[in-house]
Amino acid sequence: QLSFAMAAIVDSAPREKKLELLCSHPDLCEKVEKLSSLTEESREEQSRAGLHTLTVEERKKFLRLNTEYREKFGFPFILAVRNASKYTVLSAVEGRVGNDSETEFAAAIGQVHKIAW
């Protein structure tokens, strides 16, 4: 299957290429701020996740955690939101920001694979 072949290519790539891939991924937080400018498919995914319904406090928390995450790891928070709720997204960023660098690097690559699938 195509997604497995793509995952194998990513997994066999050197770390610096994987980091380039992660850094080129759209920032989920920016997507929340710019829902109207997304592709139809991306907008539907973000809407199903309920990110457009974040309260003011939830949005502030998400922005704060997202900034902390990017500063700590050097790449944007990546999550396959296809079947996620806003609570899942907030919980994921809150939990993953506490990861060590290697654990989070692997988690982010895993999310890229889920998105490609």
Side-chain angles (χ1 to χ4, degrees):
Q1 205 182 62
L2 181 59
S3 62
F4 293 119
M6 290 169 53
I9 291 168
V10 170
D11 289 342
S12 66
R15 182 179 177 84
E16 58 272 5
K17 289 295 182 184
K18 291 177 187 173
L19 182 58
E20 279 182 44
L21 175 65
L22 296 177
C23 289
S24 69
H25 198 277
D27 189 304
L28 184 58
C29 198
E30 288 177 13
K31 283 183 168 186
V32 169
E33 295 299 313
K34 300 175 182 178
L35 279 172
S36 62
S37 66
L38 298 177
T39 65
E40 182 64 26
E41 180 179 279
S42 195
R43 191 169 44 249
E44 283 179 25
E45 284 182 2
Q46 311 313 313
S47 293
R48 280 195 302 268
L51 297 178
H52 64 293
T53 67
L54 289 170
T55 65
V56 171
E57 289 306 312
E58 290 168 335
R59 185 177 300 271
K60 284 181 187 177
K61 180 179 180 179
F62 186 50
L63 292 170
R64 178 181 55 77
L65 288 168
N66 189 69
T67 299
E68 182 181 343
Y69 181 98
R70 186 180 271 284
E71 288 173 358
K72 181 176 182 179
F73 298 115
F75 51 85
F77 175 70
I78 301 170
L79 183 69
V81 298
R82 189 173 300 137
N83 295 311
S85 70
K86 68 179 182 178
Y87 305 108
T88 306
V89 175
L90 286 169
S91 177
V93 69
E94 190 168 34
R96 287 174 46 194
V97 76
N99 283 343
D100 62 80
S101 294
E102 288 305 310
T103 299
E104 189 50 35
F105 192 87
I109 291 293
Q111 290 299 313
V112 168
H113 291 332
K114 287 182 180 180
I115 293 165
W117 186 82

